[in-house]
Amino acid sequence: MQELLNTLDNFVRAGVDEIIQDKARNLLEEQHNKQPNNTKIIKQDVASKNTNNQLNIKKENLISEAVPTNKLILAAKDAADKAGNLEELKANLASFDGCALAKTANNLVFADGNENSDLLLIGEAPGASEDEQGIPFCGISGKLLDDIFKAIDRKRETNLYITNSIFWRPPGNRRPTAEEIAVCRPFVEKHIALIDPQLIILVGSTALNSIFPENEQTISKIRGTFMKYKNPYLDKELDITAIFHPSYLLRQPGKKAVMWDDMLKVRNFLQG
């Protein structure tokens, strides 16, 4: 017994702290019985093929998961249909479990600003600051956005209303999937109808894809132009345009002159 305890003590001193197998391995015997190299190569080749197949399956699964599911979209539409005002729409969003983003986000990011404004901004998805505070455009990009619209006498407190096309932060600030955009779309459409603005401004490409899913044009091509928009909750067409996201301007400060030109067009349109 003492000999066994001494052996265990030696193992501990040597750094052995767990048992991998019931029997000790005879490495010399294993080396002697080792299969020829060509057999090993064949096995590695088969394993490689299996791994590639698994990767392909995972890739296909990811692609299929990104396709919008009619069941989730119908559930979102049903929840949006039942909202008669902004408070009910927010409550229905908060209780909606059809978007997986809600399970990983800290807060629902619904809206900010004056709901009686004639100008509605629709952003992309919440970032870290927005997720923490539950307010759209409250980080560095939001500060720049506020400064841009203050230049044409627009402020959240008085005559500006802001919401998002995605209401929860995607993990790691990744781009929202097609399914996530589609599931949130009924809420966005109902939000627009409840605000009923004179002008809608889409801020960034995700917002553009949310409102015009079949339109493959970029912000660069449609900025500065005014289009007509209608959704199932509207009984009339609304005017809509698009601008660069402020985060893009932070990366490309040379585009601020283009943004200023767009802001002048927005001001003239609203005054016109």
Side-chain angles (χ1 to χ4, degrees):
M1 184 66 178
Q2 186 60 44
E3 182 179 354
L4 175 60
L5 292 175
N6 291 338
T7 301
L8 292 175
D9 182 63
N10 290 335
F11 283 160
V12 172
R13 293 177 182 275
V16 178
D17 57 3
E18 60 179 320
I19 298 174
I20 304 299
Q21 294 179 328
D22 294 333
K23 284 183 64 177
R25 293 176 59 187
N26 189 331
L27 296 180
L28 292 176
E29 183 179 351
E30 290 181 11
Q31 182 67 25
H32 177 73
N33 296 330
K34 191 175 181 180
Q35 295 181 359
N37 290 335
N38 60 339
T39 304
K40 181 179 180 181
I41 293 174
I42 293 174
K43 285 189 174 183
Q44 287 179 343
D45 183 58
V46 172
S48 177
K49 289 182 179 179
N50 290 337
T51 302
N52 289 336
N53 289 335
Q54 290 175 357
L55 290 175
N56 289 334
I57 292 172
K58 289 181 179 179
K59 183 177 180 181
E60 290 175 1
N61 289 340
L62 289 174
I63 293 173
S64 65
E65 289 173 2
V67 177
T69 59
N70 291 333
K71 185 176 180 180
L72 292 176
I73 295 172
L74 288 174
K77 187 178 184 304
D78 182 64
D81 288 346
K82 295 176 180 177
N85 53 53
L86 293 175
E87 290 75 16
E88 292 177 358
L89 184 65
K90 183 177 182 180
N92 291 354
L93 255 175
S95 60
F96 181 67
D97 61 358
C99 184
L101 295 178
K103 300 175 183 177
T104 57
N106 291 315
N107 283 300
L108 165 70
V109 182
F110 183 69
D112 192 32
N114 187 341
E115 63 187 60
N116 297 313
S117 171
D118 59 351
L119 181 58
L120 168 63
L121 271 58
I122 301 178
E124 299 189 333
S129 298
E130 290 78 13
D131 182 44
E132 181 180 350
Q133 300 185 40
I135 301 172
F137 285 105
C138 63
I140 297 176
S141 295
K143 176 64 168 58
L144 177 57
L145 187 75
D146 288 342
D147 291 341
I148 290 170
F149 279 89
K150 283 179 183 178
I152 60 169
D153 299 318
R154 291 280 171 167
K155 299 179 181 179
R156 304 188 196 208
E157 298 83 0
T158 55
N159 54 9
L160 185 62
Y161 187 82
I162 306 174
T163 186
N164 281 330
S165 50
I166 299 292
F167 300 97
W168 300 274
R169 181 194 182 194
N173 285 348
R174 64 163 172 76
R175 184 179 180 83
T177 66
E179 178 180 295
E180 290 160 353
I181 293 173
V183 169
C184 288
R185 186 175 294 118
F187 295 105
V188 177
E189 292 176 340
K190 188 59 176 284
H191 209 157
I192 292 172
L194 291 173
I195 296 298
D196 189 23
Q198 179 184 348
L199 178 65
I200 303 168
I201 298 181
L202 306 176
V203 186
S205 59
T206 298
L208 177 62
N209 293 338
S210 172
I211 299 301
F212 297 112
E214 305 300 326
N215 193 332
E216 297 182 356
Q217 294 190 19
T218 63
I219 297 289
S220 298
K221 292 183 178 180
I222 69 171
R223 50 148 291 274
T225 63
F226 296 87
M227 303 165 287
K228 295 295 183 179
Y229 166 75
K230 190 176 182 181
N231 69 48
Y233 298 107
L234 292 169
D235 57 6
K236 63 180 180 181
E237 290 184 329
L238 297 178
D239 291 295
I240 191 168
T241 188
I243 61 174
F244 290 125
H245 195 281
S247 64
Y248 174 74
L249 299 179
L250 291 172
R251 299 191 302 270
Q252 301 287 342
K255 294 293 184 179
K256 289 183 179 180
V258 175
M259 175 67 92
W260 176 240
D261 181 61
D262 290 344
M263 287 298 99
L264 292 178
K265 291 179 180 179
V266 167
R267 184 178 64 181
N268 293 337
F269 181 90
L270 292 171
Q271 292 176 348

